[in-house]
Amino acid sequence: MAVQTVGIIGAGQMGNGIAHVFALAGFDVLMNDISRDALDRALSQIEKNLDRQVSRDKISADEKKAALDRIKTTLTLSDLGQTDLVIEAATERETVKQAIFEDLVPHLKPNTILTSNTSSISITRLASRTDRPEKFMGFHFMNPVPIMQLVELIRGIATDQATYETLHAVVEKLGKTAASAEDFPAFIVNRILMPMINEAVYTLYEGVGNVKSIDESMKLGANHPMGPLELADFIGLDTCLAIMNVLHDGLADTKYRPCPLLTKYVEAGWLGRKTGRGFYDYRGETPVPTR
C-alpha cells in the first residue's frame, strides 16, 4: 500500500509536529481541527520550527517552502476521507477519539489506513469501533516530533501484516526509527517513563526532596537531560495523569496508583508549561519551583 496523502486530526503540539515531519519528507498533508485559530497557530508554529532548521543548516530555504506548500488545512473532518493515511492526534481521551473515528469512517476510501497517536489507550479497542480493524494501528510519535527520533508502532489484535509493513516503511521515509510494541497499556516508552515521573511526584509529596533537588538529582546523578518534574510539566500534567490512570485501570496493580499530588495539580488547572504553572511557575523570566 503506497502512502502519499496524509490526514492529521488535531493541530496541537503533536499534530503540528507530525504535519511538519511528513511535509518535510515529501508527503501531502491535510490537517484538521475544530478551530480555525488552532490551525492558524499550527501553521505559524510549523513555519517557525522550519525557520529554526534553516538557520541551523538542517534544511534549505527551498525545502522549507516546499514543505509549507504541501500542508493544507480544513475544518471539515470528512475531507480527510480521501487521504491514504489518517493520524488522529486529538486529546488523550478515549471517548473523544472514538467519536472522531465514528464520524470519519463513512467518508473513508476502502484502503485508507487509520492510526492513533495515543500514548496509552488500547489500539484494539479503538480499532473495534471502526469498519477496518485490520487497517488500524497505533502510530505514537514522541514530543517534540521534529527532534525526537522514535516512533512506536503498535499493532492491535486484528492489525494485518501489510498495514504494519506499510507504516514501518513510512517511518523509514520520515528518517525516524520504529519500535514495535504490543498493545498493552502505555506500550513501551510510557510504561517505563510515567511510573518514574509518578514516583518523582511521590518523592515530592512525601517530602523526601523539593522540586529543585529532585530534578537536579536525576539530571546530575542519572545524567537525564531533564528532571522528571520538569519533563512532566513539558508533557502536561493532565496527560501524565491520564496515562497513569490507564496503567492503573488496565493492569490493576497498585504500583501504578497516581500520586494524589499529581491529581491535585491537575484539579487546580496547573498543567505545566501550557498553562504557565505546574511543578514550576513559568510566568516570570525564569521558571520557579512551586514547591
Side-chain angles (χ1 to χ4, degrees):
M1 291 179 277
V3 172
Q4 180 54 42
T5 56
V6 180
I8 296 169
I9 303 167
Q13 194 172 30
M14 294 304 295
N16 76 59
I18 294 167
H20 174 141
V21 298
F22 269 91
L24 202 53
F27 294 91
D28 297 316
V29 174
L30 182 58
M31 184 165 49
N32 162 262
D33 201 279
I34 57 173
S35 160
R36 171 51 60 189
D37 285 347
L39 289 170
D40 290 342
R41 283 195 303 272
L43 288 173
S44 176
Q45 187 63 49
I46 291 168
E47 183 165 15
K48 181 179 172 184
N49 290 339
L50 287 167
D51 280 335
R52 187 178 292 119
Q53 288 179 302
V54 171
S55 71
R56 294 175 179 172
D57 294 324
K58 301 283 188 187
I59 62 172
S60 68
D62 287 344
E63 286 173 316
K64 172 204 158 183
K65 183 181 184 305
L68 286 174
D69 287 344
R70 290 188 194 104
I71 301 173
K72 303 290 185 286
T73 62
T74 180
L75 293 169
T76 307
L77 182 64
S78 59
D79 289 349
L80 274 58
Q82 295 307 301
T83 60
D84 302 323
L85 166 65
V86 172
I87 304 168
E88 171 274 315
T91 188
E92 191 68 358
R93 288 210 303 273
E94 188 167 350
T95 52
V96 172
K97 294 178 186 296
Q98 286 176 345
I100 287 169
F101 287 124
E102 285 173 4
D103 287 348
L104 181 62
V105 159
H107 307 284
L108 294 174
K109 294 190 302 182
N111 289 327
T112 298
I113 295 173
L114 286 179
T115 67
S116 176
N117 183 57
T118 178
S119 50
S120 61
I121 296 167
S122 167
I123 299 303
T124 298
R125 203 161 58 234
L126 288 174
S128 72
R129 304 292 287 267
T130 75
D131 66 341
R132 60 195 68 206
E134 73 285 354
K135 287 185 169 60
F136 194 109
M137 275 191 69
F139 206 27
H140 182 215
F141 289 80
M142 306 296 130
N143 186 29
V145 181
I147 295 171
M148 302 297 278
Q149 288 302 301
L150 187 77
V151 182
E152 282 183 314
L153 292 180
I154 307 103
R155 277 179 277 206
I157 198 168
T159 306
D160 64 27
Q161 186 65 18
T163 299
Y164 171 79
E165 289 174 0
T166 298
L167 290 186
H168 199 285
V170 167
V171 173
E172 288 183 349
K173 189 174 177 183
L174 295 175
K176 295 189 182 295
T177 300
S180 298
E182 293 301 314
D183 184 25
F184 292 101
F187 320 130
I188 296 172
V189 173
N190 283 316
R191 172 76 177 265
I192 297 166
L193 176 65
M194 285 303 156
M196 184 197 77
I197 286 175
N198 194 52
E199 196 61 32
V201 183
Y202 266 115
T203 306
L204 178 65
Y205 176 63
E206 294 167 3
V208 180
N210 60 28
V211 168
K212 185 179 178 186
S213 64
I214 291 166
D215 278 351
E216 283 193 343
S217 293
M218 294 308 292
K219 283 193 283 190
L220 302 180
N223 207 27
H224 289 195
M226 295 173 76
L229 301 176
E230 182 185 5
L231 180 57
D233 276 357
F234 180 75
I235 294 167
L237 304 193
D238 51 340
T239 300
C240 295
L241 179 59
I243 295 170
M244 286 309 302
N245 280 324
V246 166
L247 281 165
H248 191 229
D249 295 344
L251 298 171
D253 191 324
T254 55
K255 73 179 180 179
Y256 298 115
R257 183 172 70 99
C259 180
L261 184 61
L262 178 61
T263 302
K264 196 62 65 183
Y265 268 72
V266 172
E267 287 174 346
W270 292 19
L271 308 181
R273 285 183 177 272
K274 61 188 174 185
T275 58
R277 272 190 295 191
F279 293 112
Y280 292 85
D281 190 326
Y282 299 93
R283 295 173 299 173
E285 286 187 19
T286 57
V288 177
T290 54
R291 288 178 90 84

